Amino acid sequence: MPCKTCSHQICNAVLAARIMNATLVLPELDANSFWRDESGFQGIYDVEHFINSLRYDVRIVESLPEIRQNGKTKKMKAHQIRPPRDAPISWYTTFALEKMKEHGAIYLTPFSHRLAEEIDYPEYQRLRCRVNYHALRFKPHIMKLSESIVRKLRAQGHFMSIHLRFEMDMLAFAGCFDIFTPKEQKILKKYREENFAEKKLVGLILRSMRFDNSTRIYLAAGELFGGERFMKPFRSLFPRLENHSTVDSSNELGENTQGLLGSAVDYMVCLLSDIFMPTYDGPSNFANNLLGHRLYYGFRTTLRPDRKALAPIFINRENGRTAGFEEAVRHVMLNTNFGGPHKRVSPESFYTNSWPECFCQTSSLNPADKCPPENILEVLESQMQSENTSNSDPIPSNMTLMADK
């Protein structure tokens, strides 16, 4: 889902600008191709908050500046560069920087996964967290709508949120084919064979963990594969199933439930829910960012199925060996971390688990790991004024970076 899908690239764009001491042009969101939504960055995110929050790290402008040349004023043109995948910092401080000095502005495209994720420099990693969890804030009306939905859900007690990776993941909830047409069954059988270990009977996992039909579940998903008739088996297990359309009585989402606005609301409701469960922990930036966001804000409870450990249990069940099924599932799930701090091990993403880099320590032998003083904003403001007065930056102030999402 795009609202936070692009956040990793935005974090990298800010970091690249910081590395090169360049001005960053407000990032673009490429949502038209799939979401058919032209809201863009300004329509989803609070631009003023974004720019202001990062003012001590990098200068950000909304568009390329105009320049005066041969007596005429025209917009600066950026030189387009294709960065290598997972480029090291050295690529930005050498090749990219030289091109920027030569042309005045560079346009990095494509920019997905174009800056190494694992960087042995804690401050750069912390900048990524400042961007992701502080600077990137949805516009006030989105935040207000999301909070309204959460209040309505919580008015009846605790609630869980579940994210579906994409339409065919819905099969994992049902565990049967008879509600689908023959053509759909053929597609889903092939999909199930190829992705068995990744998605399997989430409803049975929840039941095995003793969630009953009183459990209130918020479903974050796009258009359902197979339509509403698919939901009947899952609703029979968990009838208190909601989504943003059923909870939002104001109808503010209107026809935009599947676009950027609907995705943004889903993200915030999942972030604020009592429990969050992704049904797929592969290349889903929406779910991965939520896992990292919930961990960053107080290690909020997350149910994250261990696909590798659960796969043989479900294979036995499908082959008729059902004895001890629920106990075996509970045993696997109780050995997960539930969103608590844990060492990041490849291939887990930094954006899924920013511990320990983005967590300060009240007492540490290393000054870089200590929590900032209470007057940190005053200190940063003083430093910025001092730097502006000295004007000692080795890189010209008109160096500009653009990054394509």
Side-chain angles (χ1 to χ4, degrees):
M1 296 189 178
C3 298
K4 284 290 183 176
T5 290
C6 58
S7 65
H8 304 178
Q9 293 94 302
I10 294 172
C11 293
N12 285 344
V14 172
L15 179 53
R18 166 76 175 271
I19 291 170
M20 295 186 288
N21 196 15
T23 296
L24 176 68
V25 176
L26 201 66
E28 301 173 355
L29 302 185
D30 180 18
N32 293 337
S33 57
F34 181 80
W35 295 93
R36 299 178 178 87
D37 192 320
E38 298 179 358
S39 302
F41 191 99
Q42 293 91 336
I44 295 297
Y45 291 114
D46 187 333
V47 173
E48 183 179 352
H49 175 79
F50 180 74
I51 294 174
N52 187 58
S53 296
L54 297 171
R55 66 188 184 279
Y56 301 118
D57 295 294
V58 63
R59 180 171 178 261
I60 302 172
V61 295
E62 294 193 34
S63 61
L64 280 171
E66 292 184 339
I67 58 174
R68 191 167 181 81
Q69 192 175 49
N70 299 327
K72 296 181 179 180
T73 301
K74 59 181 181 179
K75 203 165 192 176
M76 177 186 289
K77 290 185 178 181
H79 176 70
Q80 185 169 314
I81 301 177
R82 182 184 181 90
R85 187 176 178 86
D86 297 323
I89 292 177
S90 59
W91 183 87
Y92 288 90
T93 57
T94 54
F95 181 83
L97 185 56
E98 287 301 317
K99 291 296 181 182
M100 186 177 289
K101 288 180 177 179
E102 179 182 348
H103 298 280
I106 58 174
Y107 179 40
L108 302 179
T109 181
F111 202 63
S112 177
H113 301 286
R114 303 296 161 165
L115 177 57
E117 193 170 293
E118 295 295 335
I119 297 176
D120 190 21
Y121 188 29
E123 180 52 32
Y124 282 170
Q125 299 292 59
R126 291 170 190 145
L127 174 55
R128 280 171 160 160
C129 287
R130 287 197 293 275
V131 177
N132 212 12
Y133 308 133
H134 296 279
L136 280 174
R137 187 171 71 186
F138 295 124
K139 293 179 77 68
H141 74 281
I142 296 176
M143 300 293 286
K144 183 178 179 181
L145 176 58
S146 304
E147 290 164 1
S148 173
I149 290 175
V150 170
R151 280 197 303 272
K152 291 175 182 177
L153 289 168
R154 194 160 282 145
Q156 300 184 41
H158 298 296
F159 75 96
M160 173 192 300
S161 62
I162 295 178
H163 172 243
L164 301 180
R165 174 64 178 88
F166 48 82
E167 293 85 345
M168 285 188 290
D169 285 356
M170 293 299 296
L171 177 62
F173 282 88
C176 60
F177 294 100
D178 57 352
I179 61 174
F180 294 100
T181 65
K183 183 178 180 180
E184 290 171 340
Q185 290 179 20
K186 184 177 180 181
I187 295 172
L188 291 171
K189 284 178 180 177
K190 182 176 185 296
Y191 174 80
R192 191 175 185 184
E193 289 171 0
E194 295 174 350
N195 298 274
F196 179 83
E198 297 177 348
K199 313 166 182 67
K200 190 64 178 173
L201 302 179
V202 175
L204 291 178
I205 292 175
L206 294 178
R207 277 299 177 89
S208 297
M209 295 188 70
R210 294 173 179 160
F211 288 98
D212 58 24
N213 59 8
S214 68
T215 304
R216 196 168 178 82
I217 296 176
Y218 180 89
L219 191 64
E223 183 178 354
L224 303 181
F225 183 86
E228 177 59 26
R229 60 195 169 84
F230 170 78
M231 292 305 298
K232 291 181 180 179
F234 188 60
R235 287 187 191 280
S236 68
L237 290 174
F238 298 100
R240 303 183 72 189
L241 187 64
E242 306 279 4
N243 58 37
H244 51 222
S245 298
T246 61
V247 182
D248 174 33
S249 58
S250 69
N251 198 32
E252 182 176 339
L253 289 173
E255 297 179 355
N256 201 13
T257 56
Q258 306 302 332
L260 291 173
L261 177 57
S263 175
V265 169
D266 275 348
Y267 185 93
M268 287 307 303
V269 175
C270 289
L271 176 63
L272 298 173
S273 63
D274 299 292
I275 300 173
F276 171 64
M277 183 178 189
T279 60
Y280 178 67
D281 59 358
S284 166
N285 287 336
F286 182 94
N288 285 342
N289 206 77
L290 269 168
L291 291 170
H293 207 155
R294 290 175 64 88
L295 182 141
Y296 183 82
Y297 278 110
F299 307 109
R300 294 176 175 175
T301 303
T302 299
L303 300 180
R304 194 175 178 184
D306 183 339
R307 298 172 295 154
K308 185 176 181 180
L310 288 171
I313 299 173
F314 282 105
I315 289 174
N316 286 338
R317 183 181 182 279
E318 287 207 337
N319 290 333
R321 296 187 291 273
T322 59
F325 170 78
E326 290 192 355
E327 183 179 352
V329 170
R330 276 198 302 275
H331 177 75
V332 169
M333 293 299 295
L334 290 174
N335 282 322
T336 61
N337 59 63
F338 290 98
H342 58 282
K343 184 178 180 180
R344 186 171 67 252
V345 178
S346 181
E348 187 175 30
S349 167
F350 170 80
Y351 295 101
T352 301
N353 178 14
S354 61
W355 188 85
E357 293 95 331
C358 290
F359 294 80
C360 65
Q361 301 174 26
T362 54
S363 58
S364 173
L365 297 177
N366 184 357
D369 294 332
K370 290 184 178 180
C371 293
E374 293 184 1
N375 67 334
I376 183 61
L377 293 180
E378 296 176 11
V379 173
L380 292 172
E381 187 68 33
S382 176
Q383 289 178 353
M384 188 168 72
Q385 291 178 358
S386 176
E387 290 173 1
N388 290 340
T389 301
S390 63
N391 194 28
S392 60
D393 288 342
I395 301 174
S397 60
N398 64 345
M399 309 297 278
T400 308
L401 169 69
M402 297 180 68
D404 180 25
K405 297 286 117 5

